[in-house]
Amino acid sequence: MARKNLLEGLMKPAAAAQPAAPRRQTGAIGAVSQSLADLKTRAMVEVPAEMIDDAGLKDRLDRDDAGLAELMDSIRDYGQQVPVMLRHSPTVEGRYEIVYGRRRVAALRALQLPIKAMLRDLDDRSLVVAQGQENAARKDLSFIEKANFARQMVDTGFDRKVICDALHVDKTVVSRMLNVTNSIPQELIEAIGAAPSAGRDRWVALAKRLGETPVASVVALARGETSDLRFQALFDALAKPKVTKGPELLTTPDGDLLAEVSLRAGRPVLNMHDKEFGDWLARHLHEIHRDYLKSRGE
């Protein structure tokens, strides 16, 4: 009987082998696999300059030929120390687009050298956020350049949260930036340039001075060899002239000179000739002001 059972078992068709469930890689193997996956999206490559196109938003307002020449000298002496970031072109196979590092690309292109780059797979939104975050960490971008970058993000359709994340600032700061760029036309901002010495308060003051003045009538006022000089020239030109009015003489009923009243910088100035009356006036000024307010019903 035992032999019969054995023969029957051998004659039965073998059960189909079940595929083994995929193992979840953990520990050191999982970490290595994850690192390899990261390298695919963060690969370091060397790319010929002629294969790289511009992308993203404009972050600088001024040409910096002297700074570019210095960067080229540094690369000649020490090579490219810091990689740029590129992405694959979404429209042209085999080409790349700059995420950030435009000056380095320009310098290496002029030197006819390949560009060392981190290669990332980024959509348009991620590209602009990465560009903005890199800009926010740089100290050489002026207030108006960062504000102009925020304005471009708004024009491109990004919401405030994305702008905040890109520039590493809160909504209040973004609102202040956009208030300036909404008050000062882009044509005038570009005519002035980066103006690194002019911070937010000075740009706000310029916007107030500009008011509703047509931009075409003031662009020519932004004159100077540097953007700081152009800003100051326009700022001074838009200042309201200080009005100084000649003194008005106040006399007593007998014709004696009592005081002189003049207008300086839009404010009345009282120069008393009768010292005794002047002292009395100073002591009772609060009462006179109280009566003045009563006369206005306040």
Side-chain angles (χ1 to χ4, degrees):
M1 180 66 70
R3 182 179 178 184
K4 181 180 179 181
N5 291 340
L6 177 61
L7 289 173
E8 288 177 353
L10 291 173
M11 293 173 67
K12 286 181 180 180
Q18 298 296 321
R23 286 186 176 182
R24 182 185 178 192
Q25 294 178 333
T26 59
I29 295 177
V32 170
S33 298
Q34 184 61 47
S35 296
L36 290 174
D38 288 344
L39 284 174
K40 291 180 181 178
T41 59
R42 298 173 181 267
M44 186 75 72
V45 295
E46 276 197 356
V47 179
E50 61 270 16
M51 296 176 63
I52 299 175
D53 302 316
D54 205 356
L57 305 179
K58 181 180 179 182
D59 53 6
R60 290 184 181 273
L61 289 169
D62 290 344
R63 285 176 55 91
D64 184 13
D65 294 335
L68 185 62
E70 290 177 3
L71 180 57
M72 290 172 62
D73 289 341
S74 175
I75 291 175
R76 284 193 191 95
D77 293 338
Y78 306 106
Q80 181 189 350
Q81 298 297 310
V82 181
V84 305
M85 182 177 285
L86 304 177
R87 73 168 180 176
H88 291 286
S89 171
T91 57
V92 183
E93 182 69 26
R95 296 193 67 81
Y96 303 87
E97 292 182 343
I98 304 173
V99 179
Y100 59 72
R102 286 164 174 74
R103 292 178 71 247
R104 276 163 280 167
V105 170
L108 289 159
R109 181 179 284 127
L111 293 170
Q112 298 183 336
L113 294 174
I115 286 88
K116 296 177 183 177
M118 295 180 290
L119 187 58
R120 298 284 302 274
D121 290 326
L122 300 174
D123 57 23
D124 290 344
R125 169 174 170 161
S126 299
L127 181 151
V128 173
V129 170
Q131 184 186 2
Q133 289 178 342
E134 200 264 349
N135 286 342
R138 284 156 50 189
K139 296 181 179 179
D140 63 334
L141 283 184
S142 67
F143 164 80
I144 197 62
E145 286 179 310
K146 291 180 180 180
N148 195 53
F149 190 86
R151 179 197 60 77
Q152 291 179 80
M153 291 190 72
V154 170
D155 292 345
T156 309
F158 292 100
D159 59 35
R160 293 295 175 93
K161 183 182 183 307
V162 176
I163 299 173
C164 292
D165 291 342
L167 295 177
H168 283 283
V169 295
D170 58 32
K171 290 184 178 180
T172 301
V173 175
V174 170
S175 294
R176 290 171 178 169
M177 288 178 170
L178 296 177
N179 283 340
V180 171
T181 55
N182 289 337
S183 301
I184 303 177
Q186 180 67 15
E187 180 184 354
L188 189 55
I189 291 175
E190 293 184 355
I192 294 170
S197 297
R200 180 181 66 88
D201 291 345
R202 295 266 286 165
W203 279 98
V204 170
L206 178 64
K208 290 180 179 178
R209 291 189 178 189
L210 182 63
E212 300 298 324
T213 306
V215 63
S217 65
V218 296
V219 166
L221 299 176
R223 295 188 297 267
E225 294 183 1
T226 67
S227 57
D228 280 326
L229 290 176
R230 292 192 292 273
F231 178 94
Q232 191 63 50
L234 179 61
F235 191 81
D236 292 341
L238 292 175
K240 292 182 179 179
K242 295 182 178 180
V243 178
T244 301
K245 187 178 180 180
E248 180 180 347
L249 303 181
L250 299 180
T251 59
T252 67
D254 297 331
D256 296 329
L257 182 60
L258 184 62
E260 296 178 3
V261 181
S262 57
L263 192 65
R264 295 178 186 173
R267 296 183 179 182
V269 177
L270 184 64
N271 183 20
M272 301 298 300
H273 278 250
D274 186 330
K275 183 178 182 306
E276 184 177 347
F277 176 65
D279 292 340
W280 179 92
L281 184 62
R283 292 194 305 269
H284 294 82
L285 192 59
H286 65 286
E287 298 174 8
I288 297 172
H289 184 256
R290 182 189 60 201
D291 293 340
Y292 163 74
L293 293 177
K294 284 183 179 179
S295 69
R296 296 180 55 183
E298 298 181 10

